[in-house]
Amino acid sequence: MDNNVIAVVAGKEITEEDFNIFANGFTPEQKAYLQNPETLKYFKDQFVALYLFEEMAKEEKLNETEEYKVSMKNAERDILSQLAMREVLKKAEVTDDEVKKYYEDNKAQFKKPETASAKHILMDSEDEINNVKNDIENGNISFEDAAKKHSTCPSGQKGGDLGEFGRGQMVKEFEDATFSAEIGKIVGPVKTQFGYHLIKVEKRSDAGAASLDEVKESIRQMLMQQKQQEVYNAKVEELKAKYCK
């Protein structure tokens, strides 16, 4: 048997290509499972089983039943309508000028808040965190290594890195210190409900509008959905006038 053939059922060769076409309908999660040889074999066995049950159905003349005829009629309707809708929706287009115009007309939608990127060290004792601060400032240890060694926050394992955040995402005392601190300078201890913090701000970005480049794809997607809905509704009305008499 050809290596490309995974089974022969009632004289019909079932190939790798047949299975690949079948697998194209899988969800991304299912496709990921295909990387496992055992799971791949399971799916191929199930695929072959479809042909086995098909032969059984023909032998028992299930393809001559009324249920089969109704199911085939409904399947034909669904497939043809999906193909027709796909052709209709191809007429929906969004130009770069339309994207730009929407952006210019709706800039208020694309405001970005003031943000900061910072690292911190969190400890329970003010005296102990002051000792750590002194060690950092005296060059005995880096801020990042001190965070890994002393911080009680899970971010300590990443050198205290909190990533980027905007106003309103941190407790007030921490936020006030972060958004007023000098970049790169260690501030604190800052007391919050969680304990005492040393904070080092890496960078800050002022509030402002996102650029067109940052949001153009999301705008295009939104406008495309609107256009497709308009094209779809118009075609439905046209078809009603043509066929509903």
Side-chain angles (χ1 to χ4, degrees), residues 55 69 83 101 115 118 129 192 196 199:
E55 291 304 317
K69 293 175 184 178
L83 291 173
K101 183 177 187 306
T115 61
I129 203 167
T192 72
Y196 295 89
I199 304 168

Side-chain angles (χ1 to χ4, degrees), residues 167-206:
R167 285 191 178 275
Q169 292 182 259
M170 301 294 181
V171 292
K172 186 178 186 306
E173 300 90 344
F174 190 96
E175 177 184 294
D176 290 346
T178 300
F179 284 96
S180 61
E182 182 180 335
I183 303 296
K185 183 178 179 180
I186 299 171
V187 296
V190 175
K191 188 177 187 304
T192 72
Q193 66 196 68
F194 303 106
Y196 295 89
H197 307 256
L198 295 181
I199 304 168
K200 185 171 74 167
V201 179
E202 302 287 301
K203 67 177 181 177
R204 273 197 302 269
S205 299
D206 293 334

Side-chain angles (χ1 to χ4, degrees), residues 88-105:
V88 168
L89 295 180
K90 284 181 181 178
K91 297 175 183 177
E93 296 181 348
V94 176
T95 67
D96 289 342
D97 286 342
E98 288 173 321
V99 171
K100 184 176 180 180
K101 183 177 187 306
Y102 185 90
Y103 173 78
E104 294 294 341
D105 291 346

